[in-house]
Amino acid sequence: MRDYSLWIRMAKFGVLALVLALLVWCLLPQGQAAGKIGPQAKSSSAKYNIRVAIGQTYMPGTVPLGIGKELHGMADVVGAFEQRFPDTHIELITVPFDREYLVTQLSSGSAPDVVNVNVEDVWTDVQKGWYLALDPWLEQPNPFIREKNDPALPGFEKWWDMFKYQAISRGKAAPDQLMYCLSYDMVETGIFYNKDIFRKAGVEVPNTWEEMLAVMAKLEAFGVTPMTMYVDSFNDWGTDLIFDQLYYSLLPGIDLLQDPLREPYLQGYLDWDEICFLFQKGYFTKSDARYRDVFRIMKEWRRYCSADIVDSRLMLTDFVRQKAAMHWNISQLVYRLGADKDLGFEWGVFYLPTIGKATSKYASGNTMCVIGGSANQLEVTNTAFSDSRDPASSERLKRVMAFLQFICVPEQYEKVVNEYPCFISNIVGVESLPPMKPFVEILERPYTTTKWVFTFDLRFCDIQRRLLELYLNDAMDLDEFMRWQEDNIRTATDNLILRKPMDMAKMQVRWDELAPARATMEDLPSGS
Amino acid sequence: MAPEAKTRLSHRTRFVLGIYALLALPLAFLTVFVYLPFFWGFISSLYEFEIGASARFVGLANYREFLFKDPVTWPSFLNMAFLAGWGVMVRLTVPLLVAKLIHSLSNERSRHMYRILFLVPIVVPGVAIQLIWGIMIFSDGGLVNEFLRVIGLGGFAPNWLTDPHSALIAIACIGFPWVGGFEVLIYYAGLSAIPDSVNEAARLEGCTGIRKFFYIDVPMILGQLRLILILSIIGGVQTFENVLILTRGGPGFATTVPGLWMYYNAFSFQRMGYACGIGVTLFALILSLTALNLRYFKGAESLEG
């Protein structure tokens, strides 16, 4: 008989060797294992490895919305920066932008150096030292502009001057008056509509809210879904827009605090403190007729939307397949529609019209405000000065700030923001791409009176969204919704008053001063 | 004699001390990773604090708010009770029937093959199962609605996970036909452990078929049933991953369970003290239910004895 033991032993050792080799390969840094050159190879030699979560919009190597070519603009800019700073490696990373991720990473000091989140999400955390106020840098020259030796260039004196939408960008200051974000670009929403369906149904772009309801009724009779929009859009955008329409005329009587920094853009903006105070006076309760009307109007609007307002994929699909005549979305959709060769219909963009007295006797009649503004908002985290724990002496932070200043230089900025039509340029000297023109015009409108979602209380936002979903889907009536909502605001304001020192006495003084103005207003809550 | 006895005692002492020494390490880990976090959680539940911010002592305010003020509490407990109750019911019945059927097969190879077939689903990750159900079965174009359309009942096809009337039932149905692996194996082991003498005596007494199942098999596997019951209750009270993945507790609060509300309060709303209060309440609930369960089944066993 032949002895196979040697072969068996060899096979065993062969498997063992294979496993070991695999283990070694796994443990090797990726760049070395793959023999890469360039950024990955540099990461091992660079003194500063800066991690930047730039966000999905400009992430190199990705194909926006799965259409067209891979993006490379930001990679080109990073390459140019690394040539200028050989000791620094910029690592563009993708991270989940869930709050859970941010909280755990920031509290452990392991967040990326730069993150991209709505700055309002940051406001609740700024007192914890997780984010860096950018004001000292924004008030100084941008060194990359300074080196051009042209004092006429924006940024030569102050980095701030480079930003085109000054009021919007400065309006992003936190309630502590400090600026924690760089408003890299701008976004706006619009109603995308199918011109072919409009023509066939014999309707035109509406100029008033009432006309819009009539158009939607005709479209429904024509056999298409008049509009598709997501429940989150109702919750975030819809609430703010309708609220502004009904409360704008009350501002002379209820706007208690003026914010010197943000006032030029957020004219009459009701801050958290004011909401808390006004709630104690009976506003935003079930007995506040205006507040109740906000959600009545919303429900009337929802009647013309698709049956499913939860599955966001269906919204766009229905519009693209011409099952729906209108779709409310952000400017990024321009790229999706423009690049679709098989779209088969002509489309346009308009904005929501003003609500008239026929819809609500509380309608202020003011122009429908906007709820867009800053799109990609870049924040510097505590990781950026982790080398010295002191922003004043941190060498790492200098590289991080240099990178942010570098990506704002027009010739670099253009490579990124105008790589495809998506968002609006916020840098002086860089024009937005032509398809962005309707959104640039919409962006000129005034901002909303207050932003309920994301700024007020995180628990409040979550509950309001859930309640709206039920209410708009007929799972609860307006009375029940208002009861829940009042409880929801009460819990939120109680928590805010506990957490944040508020000068109620100062607001009471102002409240008393504004009493004559309120005396001329109708149907105010009884506390007024 | 005395020195020898002393040596023997010394050996025994050393042996016992050695065991304690060996137990000390896992016990230390258990203390650090289980007991301390629990006590930390309990202490934290008496404070109002956010991660990264200073804490403020609030006494039992978090418990008062959760039990008496938070409008989400009772709907979430009702949802949990429904899901846990349903989970207990199906895990105590369907896998037991399958185990009995496999055990009744006369051919050992067949029994072996069927055991493997019913064990295979264990290897599929839970998240994958949730996603399969969410995307392929319960979505508008999924298996259930397409089937309803095929048989002409398209008008009755809801969006299972976003309709408040169907979402909780849809969540409960996940895992259908609830025969995947673990429980079947436990029950099968219990049935296999019934002594041949008992089976033979039952046969001689004419106790066969369904009568034997209820009068002999079920009482003989009460230990296994108790284990599955306790695990099902604990799982039912603790679990929230499936809800988080599929509905995030919605629509509205139709599928919110206390565990999920605890998670949101901790990491989304940053109310860590409040979340700890929910956690401690759930712990107390599980402990109470388990104690009741043990007591009840103890009685059953003593009756059996």
Side-chain angles (χ1 to χ4, degrees), chain A residues 99-100 103-104 107 124-125 127-128 130 308 310 458-459 462-463 466-467 469-470 475 484 491 495 498-499, chain B residues 50-53 56 65 70-71 159 162 164 248-253 256 261 263-264 267-271:
Chain A
R99 185 153 186 83
E100 293 90 327
V103 169
T104 49
S107 59
T124 52
D125 296 326
Q127 78 281 7
K128 300 171 187 171
W130 290 351
D308 192 330
V310 176
L458 299 169
R459 181 178 178 278
D462 185 84
I463 292 182
R466 289 165 186 275
L467 295 179
E469 186 181 339
L470 291 179
W484 271 85
T491 308
N495 282 330
L498 278 175
R499 278 164 41 186
Chain B
E50 294 178 5
I51 296 174
R56 189 173 58 84
E65 184 182 340
D70 193 333
N159 204 333
T162 56
R248 297 187 71 83
F253 298 103
T256 300
W261 197 233
Y263 172 80
Y264 279 143
F267 298 110
S268 296
F269 314 151
Q270 292 205 60
R271 297 192 65 199

